[in-house]
Amino acid sequence: MDLKAVTLGFARFARTLAVPLSGALALMALATGLTAAPGGDIAVIYPQVREPFAALYRDYVSGISRVAPEGIDQYAVNGQGREQLAAAVGQSSPAVFIALGNKSVRLADEVRAGKPLVAVVTDRKYEARLAGGILLKPSADVYLANLFDIHAGVDHVYLVYNPAYDQDMVDEAARILAARKVRFSAIPAGNIREAAAGYQQLLREARSYSAIWLPPDNGFVDSSLLATLLDVAWEKKLIVFSSNPLFVKHGAAFAVYPDNQRVGSTLGRIALRARAGERTPLEPLKDVRLAVNERTVNHLGIDLSPAVRRRIELMLPGR
């Protein structure tokens, strides 16, 4: 698996999301930039982009296809393909639409003619338009279940977060950790300066086998701060975890990241329920893979259980 492709795709999903062409479907490339395969019950819409993003999301359509017995139509659309998409969709008349990415939601919403729309997106701003879908952000229980599977002895979790993006996740984490009688220091920060101060505070306070949780895509952790965090964590034996496998390459203990084919299958099941008239809120990301830094967990003296080892998709040496 290409670690760079995995990391780029998760971090930039909203800007450049694509699912490549499926070998099981006969597709035709039009001069307008619209790619389609008419005849299915579900229309899947995504941007037309180049590698590595096209390769990264190959499994989304494969996963959707597994749970779509009537078949799917794929529409890879460039910026000028809206009229051609509307014409193609009008001819095939799908029963439900799936949009892959924020930009695709806007495009699908324009051509769906009242049919239900589900999507995988990076934020909730389009939720009112959707009959359901997946928020591409792991829930707190996914992070914390993996943390305690890897080291059950964690007694304090630290987190610097942006309340504008992560308050729901922090509230959920507080409930989970309180039930486990684990201390939780969640430090709010509205900008990089406040975040830097928060990280300085937690690095002073944290004791061995405390955990530092780096939330996704808040823009607070640049390369310099990451290096500092990981250096101090190494010295103090702190467990750093996130949703970015690249952090694991540099020395974080572990990360969870999307399992694209399983996400596609979950999205397909949501689409089938939407076709039947069911409307549901966006679901947090549950279909994840696990990346672990072997050198770091060895340094921490953590003996990974056989069950955890079986779930590891990326075992990285790091540092």
Side-chain angles (χ1 to χ4, degrees), residues 127-154:
E127 188 168 14
R129 308 184 192 187
L130 303 176
I134 299 171
L135 183 65
L136 198 72
K137 180 178 177 181
S139 57
D141 67 314
V142 170
Y143 284 108
L144 296 174
N146 280 279
L147 172 64
F148 292 115
D149 282 348
I150 288 172
H151 187 62
V154 171

mmCIF file with all atom_site columns, all heavy atoms in Angstrom, residues 127-154:
data_model
loop_
_atom_site.group_PDB
_atom_site.id
_atom_site.type_symbol
_atom_site.label_atom_id
_atom_site.label_alt_id
_atom_site.label_comp_id
_atom_site.label_asym_id
_atom_site.label_entity_id
_atom_site.label_seq_id
_atom_site.pdbx_PDB_ins_code
_atom_site.Cartn_x
_atom_site.Cartn_y
_atom_site.Cartn_z
_atom_site.occupancy
_atom_site.B_iso_or_equiv
_atom_site.pdbx_formal_charge
_atom_site.auth_seq_id
_atom_site.auth_comp_id
_atom_site.auth_asym_id
_atom_site.auth_atom_id
_atom_site.pdbx_PDB_model_num
ATOM 1   N N   . GLU A 1 127 ? -25.302 18.540 5.089  1.00 0.00 ? 127 GLU A N   1
ATOM 2   C CA  . GLU A 1 127 ? -26.118 17.453 5.627  1.00 0.00 ? 127 GLU A CA  1
ATOM 3   C C   . GLU A 1 127 ? -27.601 17.631 5.335  1.00 0.00 ? 127 GLU A C   1
ATOM 4   O O   . GLU A 1 127 ? -28.325 16.649 5.113  1.00 0.00 ? 127 GLU A O   1
ATOM 5   C CB  . GLU A 1 127 ? -25.890 17.330 7.136  1.00 0.00 ? 127 GLU A CB  1
ATOM 6   C CG  . GLU A 1 127 ? -26.536 16.108 7.751  1.00 0.00 ? 127 GLU A CG  1
ATOM 7   C CD  . GLU A 1 127 ? -26.061 15.838 9.169  1.00 0.00 ? 127 GLU A CD  1
ATOM 8   O OE1 . GLU A 1 127 ? -25.438 16.742 9.781  1.00 0.00 ? 127 GLU A OE1 1
ATOM 9   O OE2 . GLU A 1 127 ? -26.318 14.729 9.662  1.00 0.00 ? 127 GLU A OE2 1
ATOM 10  N N   . ALA A 1 128 ? -28.071 18.871 5.296  1.00 0.00 ? 128 ALA A N   1
ATOM 11  C CA  . ALA A 1 128 ? -29.502 19.105 5.059  1.00 0.00 ? 128 ALA A CA  1
ATOM 12  C C   . ALA A 1 128 ? -29.935 18.633 3.678  1.00 0.00 ? 128 ALA A C   1
ATOM 13  O O   . ALA A 1 128 ? -31.117 18.327 3.465  1.00 0.00 ? 128 ALA A O   1
ATOM 14  C CB  . ALA A 1 128 ? -29.821 20.588 5.225  1.00 0.00 ? 128 ALA A CB  1
ATOM 15  N N   . ARG A 1 129 ? -29.011 18.555 2.737  1.00 0.00 ? 129 ARG A N   1
ATOM 16  C CA  . ARG A 1 129 ? -29.350 18.112 1.382  1.00 0.00 ? 129 ARG A CA  1
ATOM 17  C C   . ARG A 1 129 ? -29.371 16.590 1.251  1.00 0.00 ? 129 ARG A C   1
ATOM 18  O O   . ARG A 1 129 ? -29.803 16.068 0.223  1.00 0.00 ? 129 ARG A O   1
ATOM 19  C CB  . ARG A 1 129 ? -28.338 18.654 0.371  1.00 0.00 ? 129 ARG A CB  1
ATOM 20  C CG  . ARG A 1 129 ? -28.109 20.156 0.438  1.00 0.00 ? 129 ARG A CG  1
ATOM 21  C CD  . ARG A 1 129 ? -27.171 20.579 -0.687 1.00 0.00 ? 129 ARG A CD  1
ATOM 22  N NE  . ARG A 1 129 ? -26.694 21.948 -0.528 1.00 0.00 ? 129 ARG A NE  1
ATOM 23  C CZ  . ARG A 1 129 ? -25.976 22.602 -1.429 1.00 0.00 ? 129 ARG A CZ  1
ATOM 24  N NH1 . ARG A 1 129 ? -25.652 22.006 -2.568 1.00 0.00 ? 129 ARG A NH1 1
ATOM 25  N NH2 . ARG A 1 129 ? -25.563 23.838 -1.205 1.00 0.00 ? 129 ARG A NH2 1
ATOM 26  N N   . LEU A 1 130 ? -28.867 15.898 2.267  1.00 0.00 ? 130 LEU A N   1
ATOM 27  C CA  . LEU A 1 130 ? -28.602 14.470 2.132  1.00 0.00 ? 130 LEU A CA  1
ATOM 28  C C   . LEU A 1 130 ? -29.642 13.615 2.842  1.00 0.00 ? 130 LEU A C   1
ATOM 29  O O   . LEU A 1 130 ? -30.166 13.984 3.895  1.00 0.00 ? 130 LEU A O   1
ATOM 30  C CB  . LEU A 1 130 ? -27.214 14.147 2.701  1.00 0.00 ? 130 LEU A CB  1
ATOM 31  C CG  . LEU A 1 130 ? -26.041 14.912 2.091  1.00 0.00 ? 130 LEU A CG  1
ATOM 32  C CD1 . LEU A 1 130 ? -24.747 14.542 2.829  1.00 0.00 ? 130 LEU A CD1 1
ATOM 33  C CD2 . LEU A 1 130 ? -25.912 14.624 0.604  1.00 0.00 ? 130 LEU A CD2 1
ATOM 34  N N   . ALA A 1 131 ? -29.892 12.449 2.284  1.00 0.00 ? 131 ALA A N   1
ATOM 35  C CA  . ALA A 1 131 ? -30.724 11.443 2.936  1.00 0.00 ? 131 ALA A CA  1
ATOM 36  C C   . ALA A 1 131 ? -29.892 10.544 3.837  1.00 0.00 ? 131 ALA A C   1
ATOM 37  O O   . ALA A 1 131 ? -30.433 9.659  4.501  1.00 0.00 ? 131 ALA A O   1
ATOM 38  C CB  . ALA A 1 131 ? -31.437 10.597 1.882  1.00 0.00 ? 131 ALA A CB  1
ATOM 39  N N   . GLY A 1 132 ? -28.601 10.761 3.873  1.00 0.00 ? 132 GLY A N   1
ATOM 40  C CA  . GLY A 1 132 ? -27.698 9.973  4.700  1.00 0.00 ? 132 GLY A CA  1
ATOM 41  C C   . GLY A 1 132 ? -26.305 10.017 4.121  1.00 0.00 ? 132 GLY A C   1
ATOM 42  O O   . GLY A 1 132 ? -26.063 10.612 3.069  1.00 0.00 ? 132 GLY A O   1
ATOM 43  N N   . GLY A 1 133 ? -25.367 9.386  4.810  1.00 0.00 ? 133 GLY A N   1
ATOM 44  C CA  . GLY A 1 133 ? -24.001 9.362  4.310  1.00 0.00 ? 133 GLY A CA  1
ATOM 45  C C   . GLY A 1 133 ? -22.999 9.163  5.422  1.00 0.00 ? 133 GLY A C   1
ATOM 46  O O   . GLY A 1 133 ? -23.337 8.814  6.554  1.00 0.00 ? 133 GLY A O   1
ATOM 47  N N   . ILE A 1 134 ? -21.729 9.397  5.087  1.00 0.00 ? 134 ILE A N   1
ATOM 48  C CA  . ILE A 1 134 ? -20.614 9.166  5.999  1.00 0.00 ? 134 ILE A CA  1
ATOM 49  C C   . ILE A 1 134 ? -19.800 10.437 6.123  1.00 0.00 ? 134 ILE A C   1
ATOM 50  O O   . ILE A 1 134 ? -19.414 11.046 5.116  1.00 0.00 ? 134 ILE A O   1
ATOM 51  C CB  . ILE A 1 134 ? -19.725 8.017  5.500  1.00 0.00 ? 134 ILE A CB  1
ATOM 52  C CG1 . ILE A 1 134 ? -20.524 6.706  5.428  1.00 0.00 ? 134 ILE A CG1 1
ATOM 53  C CG2 . ILE A 1 134 ? -18.502 7.845  6.402  1.00 0.00 ? 134 ILE A CG2 1
ATOM 54  C CD1 . ILE A 1 134 ? -19.781 5.580  4.741  1.00 0.00 ? 134 ILE A CD1 1
ATOM 55  N N   . LEU A 1 135 ? -19.538 10.837 7.343  1.00 0.00 ? 135 LEU A N   1
ATOM 56  C CA  . LEU A 1 135 ? -18.622 11.928 7.637  1.00 0.00 ? 135 LEU A CA  1
ATOM 57  C C   . LEU A 1 135 ? -17.226 11.325 7.741  1.00 0.00 ? 135 LEU A C   1
ATOM 58  O O   . LEU A 1 135 ? -16.978 10.463 8.580  1.00 0.00 ? 135 LEU A O   1
ATOM 59  C CB  . LEU A 1 135 ? -19.016 12.610 8.946  1.00 0.00 ? 135 LEU A CB  1
ATOM 60  C CG  . LEU A 1 135 ? -18.204 13.825 9.377  1.00 0.00 ? 135 LEU A CG  1
ATOM 61  C CD1 . LEU A 1 135 ? -18.389 14.977 8.388  1.00 0.00 ? 135 LEU A CD1 1
ATOM 62  C CD2 . LEU A 1 135 ? -18.594 14.250 10.786 1.00 0.00 ? 135 LEU A CD2 1
ATOM 63  N N   . LEU A 1 136 ? -16.325 11.764 6.885  1.00 0.00 ? 136 LEU A N   1
ATOM 64  C CA  . LEU A 1 136 ? -15.005 11.128 6.793  1.00 0.00 ? 136 LEU A CA  1
ATOM 65  C C   . LEU A 1 136 ? -14.122 11.567 7.966  1.00 0.00 ? 136 LEU A C   1
ATOM 66  O O   . LEU A 1 136 ? -13.098 12.224 7.790  1.00 0.00 ? 136 LEU A O   1
ATOM 67  C CB  . LEU A 1 136 ? -14.338 11.463 5.465  1.00 0.00 ? 136 LEU A CB  1
ATOM 68  C CG  . LEU A 1 136 ? -13.193 10.522 5.079  1.00 0.00 ? 136 LEU A CG  1
ATOM 69  C CD1 . LEU A 1 136 ? -13.762 9.172  4.664  1.00 0.00 ? 136 LEU A CD1 1
ATOM 70  C CD2 . LEU A 1 136 ? -12.343 11.095 3.967  1.00 0.00 ? 136 LEU A CD2 1
ATOM 71  N N   . LYS A 1 137 ? -14.555 11.167 9.147  1.00 0.00 ? 137 LYS A N   1
ATOM 72  C CA  . LYS A 1 137 ? -13.866 11.547 10.378 1.00 0.00 ? 137 LYS A CA  1
ATOM 73  C C   . LYS A 1 137 ? -14.182 10.468 11.406 1.00 0.00 ? 137 LYS A C   1
ATOM 74  O O   . LYS A 1 137 ? -15.347 10.258 11.740 1.00 0.00 ? 137 LYS A O   1
ATOM 75  C CB  . LYS A 1 137 ? -14.386 12.911 10.835 1.00 0.00 ? 137 LYS A CB  1
ATOM 76  C CG  . LYS A 1 137 ? -13.774 13.459 12.096 1.00 0.00 ? 137 LYS A CG  1
ATOM 77  C CD  . LYS A 1 137 ? -14.387 14.846 12.343 1.00 0.00 ? 137 LYS A CD  1
ATOM 78  C CE  . LYS A 1 137 ? -13.899 15.443 13.625 1.00 0.00 ? 137 LYS A CE  1
ATOM 79  N NZ  . LYS A 1 137 ? -14.515 16.778 13.862 1.00 0.00 ? 137 LYS A NZ  1
ATOM 80  N N   . PRO A 1 138 ? -13.168 9.775  11.907 1.00 0.00 ? 138 PRO A N   1
ATOM 81  C CA  . PRO A 1 138 ? -13.452 8.712  12.865 1.00 0.00 ? 138 PRO A CA  1
ATOM 82  C C   . PRO A 1 138 ? -14.132 9.252  14.121 1.00 0.00 ? 138 PRO A C   1
ATOM 83  O O   . PRO A 1 138 ? -13.850 10.359 14.576 1.00 0.00 ? 138 PRO A O   1
ATOM 84  C CB  . PRO A 1 138 ? -12.066 8.143  13.198 1.00 0.00 ? 138 PRO A CB  1
ATOM 85  C CG  . PRO A 1 138 ? -11.202 8.537  12.045 1.00 0.00 ? 138 PRO A CG  1
ATOM 86  C CD  . PRO A 1 138 ? -11.728 9.857  11.582 1.00 0.00 ? 138 PRO A CD  1
ATOM 87  N N   . SER A 1 139 ? -15.025 8.460  14.690 1.00 0.00 ? 139 SER A N   1
ATOM 88  C CA  . SER A 1 139 ? -15.664 8.842  15.940 1.00 0.00 ? 139 SER A CA  1
ATOM 89  C C   . SER A 1 139 ? -14.697 8.612  17.094 1.00 0.00 ? 139 SER A C   1
ATOM 90  O O   . SER A 1 139 ? -13.713 7.864  16.984 1.00 0.00 ? 139 SER A O   1
ATOM 91  C CB  . SER A 1 139 ? -16.936 8.023  16.144 1.00 0.00 ? 139 SER A CB  1
ATOM 92  O OG  . SER A 1 139 ? -16.640 6.641  16.130 1.00 0.00 ? 139 SER A OG  1
ATOM 93  N N   . ALA A 1 140 ? -14.990 9.232  18.237 1.00 0.00 ? 140 ALA A N   1
ATOM 94  C CA  . ALA A 1 140 ? -14.103 9.115  19.395 1.00 0.00 ? 140 ALA A CA  1
ATOM 95  C C   . ALA A 1 140 ? -13.941 7.663  19.827 1.00 0.00 ? 140 ALA A C   1
ATOM 96  O O   . ALA A 1 140 ? -12.842 7.232  20.219 1.00 0.00 ? 140 ALA A O   1
ATOM 97  C CB  . ALA A 1 140 ? -14.645 9.957  20.539 1.00 0.00 ? 140 ALA A CB  1
ATOM 98  N N   . ASP A 1 141 ? -15.017 6.886  19.762 1.00 0.00 ? 141 ASP A N   1
ATOM 99  C CA  . ASP A 1 141 ? -14.910 5.500  20.221 1.00 0.00 ? 141 ASP A CA  1
ATOM 100 C C   . ASP A 1 141 ? -13.985 4.678  19.348 1.00 0.00 ? 141 ASP A C   1
ATOM 101 O O   . ASP A 1 141 ? -13.333 3.744  19.831 1.00 0.00 ? 141 ASP A O   1
ATOM 102 C CB  . ASP A 1 141 ? -16.292 4.854  20.326 1.00 0.00 ? 141 ASP A CB  1
ATOM 103 C CG  . ASP A 1 141 ? -16.970 4.676  18.985 1.00 0.00 ? 141 ASP A CG  1
ATOM 104 O OD1 . ASP A 1 141 ? -16.962 5.627  18.191 1.00 0.00 ? 141 ASP A OD1 1
ATOM 105 O OD2 . ASP A 1 141 ? -17.528 3.599  18.728 1.00 0.00 ? 141 ASP A OD2 1
ATOM 106 N N   . VAL A 1 142 ? -13.862 5.014  18.058 1.00 0.00 ? 142 VAL A N   1
ATOM 107 C CA  . VAL A 1 142 ? -12.933 4.306  17.179 1.00 0.00 ? 142 VAL A CA  1
ATOM 108 C C   . VAL A 1 142 ? -11.491 4.569  17.608 1.00 0.00 ? 142 VAL A C   1
ATOM 109 O O   . VAL A 1 142 ? -10.677 3.645  17.743 1.00 0.00 ? 142 VAL A O   1
ATOM 110 C CB  . VAL A 1 142 ? -13.156 4.713  15.710 1.00 0.00 ? 142 VAL A CB  1
ATOM 111 C CG1 . VAL A 1 142 ? -12.035 4.183  14.823 1.00 0.00 ? 142 VAL A CG1 1
ATOM 112 C CG2 . VAL A 1 142 ? -14.503 4.210  15.220 1.00 0.00 ? 142 VAL A CG2 1
ATOM 113 N N   . TYR A 1 143 ? -11.158 5.842  17.816 1.00 0.00 ? 143 TYR A N   1
ATOM 114 C CA  . TYR A 1 143 ? -9.811  6.172  18.289 1.00 0.00 ? 143 TYR A CA  1
ATOM 115 C C   . TYR A 1 143 ? -9.518  5.473  19.619 1.00 0.00 ? 143 TYR A C   1
ATOM 116 O O   . TYR A 1 143 ? -8.466  4.832  19.793 1.00 0.00 ? 143 TYR A O   1
ATOM 117 C CB  . TYR A 1 143 ? -9.690  7.676  18.517 1.00 0.00 ? 143 TYR A CB  1
ATOM 118 C CG  . TYR A 1 143 ? -9.554  8.545  17.296 1.00 0.00 ? 143 TYR A CG  1
ATOM 119 C CD1 . TYR A 1 143 ? -10.605 9.355  16.893 1.00 0.00 ? 143 TYR A CD1 1
ATOM 120 C CD2 . TYR A 1 143 ? -8.363  8.599  16.573 1.00 0.00 ? 143 TYR A CD2 1
ATOM 121 C CE1 . TYR A 1 143 ? -10.490 10.196 15.797 1.00 0.00 ? 143 TYR A CE1 1
ATOM 122 C CE2 . TYR A 1 143 ? -8.234  9.432  15.481 1.00 0.00 ? 143 TYR A CE2 1
ATOM 123 C CZ  . TYR A 1 143 ? -9.289  10.234 15.093 1.00 0.00 ? 143 TYR A CZ  1
ATOM 124 O OH  . TYR A 1 143 ? -9.163  11.056 14.003 1.00 0.00 ? 143 TYR A OH  1
ATOM 125 N N   . LEU A 1 144 ? -10.424 5.642  20.580 1.00 0.00 ? 144 LEU A N   1
ATOM 126 C CA  . LEU A 1 144 ? -10.142 5.210  21.942 1.00 0.00 ? 144 LEU A CA  1
ATOM 127 C C   . LEU A 1 144 ? -10.166 3.693  22.081 1.00 0.00 ? 144 LEU A C   1
ATOM 128 O O   . LEU A 1 144 ? -9.393  3.128  22.863 1.00 0.00 ? 144 LEU A O   1
ATOM 129 C CB  . LEU A 1 144 ? -11.124 5.865  22.906 1.00 0.00 ? 144 LEU A CB  1
ATOM 130 C CG  . LEU A 1 144 ? -10.996 7.395  22.971 1.00 0.00 ? 144 LEU A CG  1
ATOM 131 C CD1 . LEU A 1 144 ? -12.099 7.994  23.828 1.00 0.00 ? 144 LEU A CD1 1
ATOM 132 C CD2 . LEU A 1 144 ? -9.623  7.822  23.488 1.00 0.00 ? 144 LEU A CD2 1
ATOM 133 N N   . ALA A 1 145 ? -11.008 3.024  21.309 1.00 0.00 ? 145 ALA A N   1
ATOM 134 C CA  . ALA A 1 145 ? -10.996 1.559  21.335 1.00 0.00 ? 145 ALA A CA  1
ATOM 135 C C   . ALA A 1 145 ? -9.636  1.041  20.881 1.00 0.00 ? 145 ALA A C   1
ATOM 136 O O   . ALA A 1 145 ? -9.087  0.102  21.486 1.00 0.00 ? 145 ALA A O   1
ATOM 137 C CB  . ALA A 1 145 ? -12.105 1.005  20.447 1.00 0.00 ? 145 ALA A CB  1
ATOM 138 N N   . ASN A 1 146 ? -9.081  1.640  19.839 1.00 0.00 ? 146 ASN A N   1
ATOM 139 C CA  . ASN A 1 146 ? -7.760  1.227  19.377 1.00 0.00 ? 146 ASN A CA  1
ATOM 140 C C   . ASN A 1 146 ? -6.676  1.570  20.392 1.00 0.00 ? 146 ASN A C   1
ATOM 141 O O   . ASN A 1 146 ? -5.740  0.794  20.612 1.00 0.00 ? 146 ASN A O   1
ATOM 142 C CB  . ASN A 1 146 ? -7.458  1.856  18.022 1.00 0.00 ? 146 ASN A CB  1
ATOM 143 C CG  . ASN A 1 146 ? -8.117  1.125  16.875 1.00 0.00 ? 146 ASN A CG  1
ATOM 144 O OD1 . ASN A 1 146 ? -7.628  0.109  16.406 1.00 0.00 ? 146 ASN A OD1 1
ATOM 145 N ND2 . ASN A 1 146 ? -9.252  1.649  16.420 1.00 0.00 ? 146 ASN A ND2 1
ATOM 146 N N   . LEU A 1 147 ? -6.791  2.744  21.016 1.00 0.00 ? 147 LEU A N   1
ATOM 147 C CA  . LEU A 1 147 ? -5.814  3.129  22.033 1.00 0.00 ? 147 LEU A CA  1
ATOM 148 C C   . LEU A 1 147 ? -5.771  2.098  23.156 1.00 0.00 ? 147 LEU A C   1
ATOM 149 O O   . LEU A 1 147 ? -4.683  1.618  23.534 1.00 0.00 ? 147 LEU A O   1
ATOM 150 C CB  . LEU A 1 147 ? -6.166  4.508  22.594 1.00 0.00 ? 147 LEU A CB  1
ATOM 151 C CG  . LEU A 1 147 ? -5.343  4.966  23.806 1.00 0.00 ? 147 LEU A CG  1
ATOM 152 C CD1 . LEU A 1 147 ? -3.876  5.139  23.434 1.00 0.00 ? 147 LEU A CD1 1
ATOM 153 C CD2 . LEU A 1 147 ? -5.919  6.265  24.374 1.00 0.00 ? 147 LEU A CD2 1
ATOM 154 N N   . PHE A 1 148 ? -6.916  1.729  23.707 1.00 0.00 ? 148 PHE A N   1
ATOM 155 C CA  . PHE A 1 148 ? -6.924  0.808  24.846 1.00 0.00 ? 148 PHE A CA  1
ATOM 156 C C   . PHE A 1 148 ? -6.656  -0.633 24.426 1.00 0.00 ? 148 PHE A C   1
ATOM 157 O O   . PHE A 1 148 ? -6.189  -1.434 25.245 1.00 0.00 ? 148 PHE A O   1
ATOM 158 C CB  . PHE A 1 148 ? -8.235  0.943  25.617 1.00 0.00 ? 148 PHE A CB  1
ATOM 159 C CG  . PHE A 1 148 ? -8.362  2.269  26.313 1.00 0.00 ? 148 PHE A CG  1
ATOM 160 C CD1 . PHE A 1 148 ? -9.341  3.171  25.939 1.00 0.00 ? 148 PHE A CD1 1
ATOM 161 C CD2 . PHE A 1 148 ? -7.482  2.631  27.316 1.00 0.00 ? 148 PHE A CD2 1
ATOM 162 C CE1 . PHE A 1 148 ? -9.455  4.405  26.567 1.00 0.00 ? 148 PHE A CE1 1
ATOM 163 C CE2 . PHE A 1 148 ? -7.577  3.858  27.949 1.00 0.00 ? 148 PHE A CE2 1
ATOM 164 C CZ  . PHE A 1 148 ? -8.564  4.753  27.580 1.00 0.00 ? 148 PHE A CZ  1
ATOM 165 N N   . ASP A 1 149 ? -6.938  -0.971 23.170 1.00 0.00 ? 149 ASP A N   1
ATOM 166 C CA  . ASP A 1 149 ? -6.516  -2.280 22.673 1.00 0.00 ? 149 ASP A CA  1
ATOM 167 C C   . ASP A 1 149 ? -4.994  -2.372 22.621 1.00 0.00 ? 149 ASP A C   1
ATOM 168 O O   . ASP A 1 149 ? -4.417  -3.430 22.882 1.00 0.00 ? 149 ASP A O   1
ATOM 169 C CB  . ASP A 1 149 ? -7.081  -2.537 21.275 1.00 0.00 ? 149 ASP A CB  1
ATOM 170 C CG  . ASP A 1 149 ? -8.545  -2.951 21.297 1.00 0.00 ? 149 ASP A CG  1
ATOM 171 O OD1 . ASP A 1 149 ? -9.063  -3.260 22.388 1.00 0.00 ? 149 ASP A OD1 1
ATOM 172 O OD2 . ASP A 1 149 ? -9.168  -2.953 20.218 1.00 0.00 ? 149 ASP A OD2 1
ATOM 173 N N   . ILE A 1 150 ? -4.352  -1.278 22.252 1.00 0.00 ? 150 ILE A N   1
ATOM 174 C CA  . ILE A 1 150 ? -2.889  -1.271 22.147 1.00 0.00 ? 150 ILE A CA  1
ATOM 175 C C   . ILE A 1 150 ? -2.239  -1.186 23.519 1.00 0.00 ? 150 ILE A C   1
ATOM 176 O O   . ILE A 1 150 ? -1.247  -1.874 23.796 1.00 0.00 ? 150 ILE A O   1
ATOM 177 C CB  . ILE A 1 150 ? -2.442  -0.119 21.227 1.00 0.00 ? 150 ILE A CB  1
ATOM 178 C CG1 . ILE A 1 150 ? -2.789  -0.474 19.773 1.00 0.00 ? 150 ILE A CG1 1
ATOM 179 C CG2 . ILE A 1 150 ? -0.949  0.183  21.364 1.00 0.00 ? 150 ILE A CG2 1
ATOM 180 C CD1 . ILE A 1 150 ? -2.588  0.645  18.788 1.00 0.00 ? 150 ILE A CD1 1
ATOM 181 N N   . HIS A 1 151 ? -2.781  -0.333 24.408 1.00 0.00 ? 151 HIS A N   1
ATOM 182 C CA  . HIS A 1 151 ? -2.238  -0.249 25.769 1.00 0.00 ? 151 HIS A CA  1
ATOM 183 C C   . HIS A 1 151 ? -3.359  0.081  26.746 1.00 0.00 ? 151 HIS A C   1
ATOM 184 O O   . HIS A 1 151 ? -3.777  1.232  26.876 1.00 0.00 ? 151 HIS A O   1
ATOM 185 C CB  . HIS A 1 151 ? -1.138  0.813  25.852 1.00 0.00 ? 151 HIS A CB  1
ATOM 186 C CG  . HIS A 1 151 ? -0.436  0.824  27.180 1.00 0.00 ? 151 HIS A CG  1
ATOM 187 N ND1 . HIS A 1 151 ? 0.271   -0.248 27.652 1.00 0.00 ? 151 HIS A ND1 1
ATOM 188 C CD2 . HIS A 1 151 ? -0.351  1.780  28.140 1.00 0.00 ? 151 HIS A CD2 1
ATOM 189 C CE1 . HIS A 1 151 ? 0.772   0.034  28.833 1.00 0.00 ? 151 HIS A CE1 1
ATOM 190 N NE2 . HIS A 1 151 ? 0.412   1.264  29.162 1.00 0.00 ? 151 HIS A NE2 1
ATOM 191 N N   . ALA A 1 152 ? -3.822  -0.934 27.438 1.00 0.00 ? 152 ALA A N   1
ATOM 192 C CA  . ALA A 1 152 ? -4.964  -0.769 28.344 1.00 0.00 ? 152 ALA A CA  1
ATOM 193 C C   . ALA A 1 152 ? -4.619  0.061  29.573 1.00 0.00 ? 152 ALA A C   1
ATOM 194 O O   . ALA A 1 152 ? -5.522  0.517  30.280 1.00 0.00 ? 152 ALA A O   1
ATOM 195 C CB  . ALA A 1 152 ? -5.478  -2.140 28.781 1.00 0.00 ? 152 ALA A CB  1
ATOM 196 N N   . GLY A 1 153 ? -3.320  0.276  29.835 1.00 0.00 ? 153 GLY A N   1
ATOM 197 C CA  . GLY A 1 153 ? -2.911  0.980  31.039 1.00 0.00 ? 153 GLY A CA  1
ATOM 198 C C   . GLY A 1 153 ? -2.884  2.492  30.929 1.00 0.00 ? 153 GLY A C   1
ATOM 199 O O   . GLY A 1 153 ? -2.455  3.163  31.883 1.00 0.00 ? 153 GLY A O   1
ATOM 200 N N   . VAL A 1 154 ? -3.317  3.061  29.812 1.00 0.00 ? 154 VAL A N   1
ATOM 201 C CA  . VAL A 1 154 ? -3.352  4.519  29.687 1.00 0.00 ? 154 VAL A CA  1
ATOM 202 C C   . VAL A 1 154 ? -4.292  5.086  30.748 1.00 0.00 ? 154 VAL A C   1
ATOM 203 O O   . VAL A 1 154 ? -5.439  4.647  30.866 1.00 0.00 ? 154 VAL A O   1
ATOM 204 C CB  . VAL A 1 154 ? -3.830  4.938  28.281 1.00 0.00 ? 154 VAL A CB  1
ATOM 205 C CG1 . VAL A 1 154 ? -4.069  6.440  28.213 1.00 0.00 ? 154 VAL A CG1 1
ATOM 206 C CG2 . VAL A 1 154 ? -2.822  4.501  27.230 1.00 0.00 ? 154 VAL A CG2 1
#
